[in-house]
Amino acid sequence: MKLLWNTIITLLVSSFCYSQNPFITQLYTADPSARVFNDTLFIYASHDKEDAKWFNMIDWHVFSTTDMKNWFDHGVVLSLDSLKWASKYAWAPDCEFYNGKYFFYYPTDRDYIGVALCDKPSGPFKDPLGKPLITRKTKGVKANRALIDPTIFIDYDKTPYLIFGQNHINIVKLNDDMISFNDSVRLIKAPHFFEAVWMHKYNGKYYLSYSGKGKILYGMGDSPYGPFEYKGVILDKVNSGTNHASIAEYKGQWYLFYHTSDLFFKNNPQAKKSGLKKWYRRSICVDHLYYNADGTIQKVIPTKKGVE
Ligand code: FUB
């Protein structure tokens, strides 16, 4: 009898769990970087404040799932308060597992890229250097308006690369400790590149995706340094002004994570009339991503229902 009740309750509870876009609604989130560690998918995100009127973000959050439907909120995993050398703009982060530790990369002040580490993927992350890993003065770095948007890419042969920048894509091979480098910073070329660079691998190829012309664009190549043959649009413009995407495979399916301002418009129906800007309160979304037989990526059409 007890078993029967448990089964009924489980069925009822699970029937109320449904997927939707955006999939995080208890706070505004942006710039999702998706990573799979063991059997769990983690999202490393930046955080737009409830009353944000600009990108004055102060901390980073992590969410995880094992079924793409129920999301666990791990809360703040690093905040500007804990960094002596940083004071503003906790923008798009990323994280990777390497040699037994989790390494979290993040931009601050529009001038620095930092690193923090932890034994767990869910943080809290600690800054091991007490200073930025990359600054505008780092030899070879090309940055004009903003030095932001780090992503970490682990190659087929396990070499780690840190890739970052706005207007210019910078790439540097990291040492095995993941918090230093001897390599020189190089540049990758990509048409219409603005920001939000992401690199992933699939079937022996390298994919470089990024935000440009308000869309998510991509190219394919045979090395992390390129050249990348431009292949076009993965995601058309959404309603958030900026866009920032990541691509990940989880349990045999491929996904595109991105953000929109749908929740902002829902919460602020008068936004347009009152002149409240949509750019600063974003929310992360996910949809399926499919490849064609030749390895090119089909355009993703954003949905309200997300992934089942
Ligand atoms: O979230 C702040 C900035 O907006 C990010 O660094 C960019 O990629 C854009 O999404």
Side-chain angles (χ1 to χ4, degrees):
M1 192 60 182
K2 195 172 167 205
L3 189 65
L4 182 65
W5 269 115
N6 282 348
T7 311
I8 291 170
I9 287 166
T10 308
L11 282 175
L12 278 174
V13 170
S14 53
S15 66
F16 287 121
C17 295
Y18 57 94
S19 49
Q20 57 168 20
N21 271 330
F23 61 89
I24 300 295
T25 51
Q26 65 274 30
L27 72 167
Y28 290 113
T29 50
D31 307 322
S33 285
R35 295 292 176 193
V36 177
F37 300 128
N38 299 317
D39 63 347
T40 304
L41 184 137
F42 288 85
I43 298 292
Y44 296 86
S46 56
H47 168 211
D48 288 336
K49 289 188 209 156
E50 200 65 17
D51 57 353
K53 297 209 170 56
W54 206 72
F55 300 114
N56 283 322
M57 298 138 83
I58 57 166
D59 53 23
W60 295 274
H61 287 242
V62 175
F63 306 90
S64 67
T65 185
T66 52
D67 59 8
M68 296 301 292
K69 207 158 65 170
N70 296 286
W71 290 89
F72 187 80
D73 182 347
H74 298 272
V76 174
V77 292
L78 183 70
S79 105
L80 291 177
D81 285 352
S82 59
L83 304 167
K84 286 197 194 84
W85 48 270
S87 60
K88 49 189 187 291
Y89 311 144
W91 291 5
D94 193 10
C95 184
E96 256 302 1
F97 177 72
Y98 205 76
N99 285 346
K101 283 203 166 28
Y102 296 86
F103 294 87
F104 184 77
Y105 299 88
Y106 50 94
T108 76
D109 299 74
R110 293 199 290 181
D111 287 329
Y112 307 125
I113 307 289
V115 59
L117 51 92
C118 185
D119 293 334
K120 292 178 292 160
S122 52
F125 291 91
K126 293 261 155 51
D127 165 22
L129 299 176
K131 62 178 186 179
L133 175 63
I134 306 267
T135 74
R136 287 170 184 272
K137 291 193 178 138
T138 305
K139 199 163 168 246
V141 165
K142 200 155 179 200
N144 31 26
R145 238 160 42 116
L147 179 55
I148 54 168
D149 291 0
T151 183
I152 183 83
F153 174 71
I154 312 289
D155 204 351
Y156 290 98
D157 69 359
K158 302 277 179 259
T159 306
Y161 294 88
L162 184 66
I163 312 170
F164 53 93
Q166 190 188 61
N167 296 123
H168 304 282
I169 308 177
N170 297 259
I171 178 167
V172 64
K173 211 185 279 181
L174 295 181
N175 292 338
D176 264 6
D177 63 6
M178 298 288 271
I179 61 170
S180 68
F181 52 90
N182 299 326
D183 186 32
S184 21
V185 178
R186 300 189 218 182
L187 295 174
I188 300 176
K189 285 204 183 106
H192 319 297
F193 174 74
F194 179 46
E195 58 184 11
V197 64
W198 181 260
M199 191 177 285
H200 77 277
K201 40 194 202 284
Y202 172 69
N203 275 353
K205 287 279 183 194
Y206 297 82
Y207 290 72
L208 184 82
S209 51
Y210 49 91
S211 167
K213 297 176 142 190
K215 305 173 185 183
I216 300 299
L217 311 173
Y218 82 108
M220 290 167 65
D222 293 316
S223 139
Y225 297 115
F228 291 92
E229 191 180 331
Y230 181 65
K231 295 291 182 188
V233 178
I234 299 180
L235 184 70
D236 273 325
K237 270 189 189 173
V238 289
N239 61 0
S240 47
T242 62
N243 212 341
H244 192 120
S246 64
I247 295 169
E249 183 186 20
Y250 185 54
K251 297 188 175 172
Q253 301 272 326
W254 282 86
Y255 298 97
L256 180 79
F257 293 84
Y258 57 97
H259 61 228
T260 68
S261 288
D262 287 354
L263 185 64
F264 163 79
F265 283 118
K266 189 171 164 215
N267 293 346
N268 299 279
Q270 299 301 320
K272 274 190 186 135
K273 268 194 212 147
S274 66
L276 200 55
K277 296 279 190 296
K278 62 187 181 180
W279 296 305
Y280 313 120
R281 298 179 212 171
R282 301 157 293 174
S283 303
I284 56 181
C285 301
V286 57
D287 275 298
H288 285 288
L289 176 141
Y290 299 101
Y291 294 91
N292 296 309
D294 63 358
T296 53
I297 295 175
Q298 295 178 11
K299 202 190 252 191
V300 174
I301 308 300
T303 68
K304 297 280 181 249
K305 77 174 177 28
V307 295
E308 298 285 346

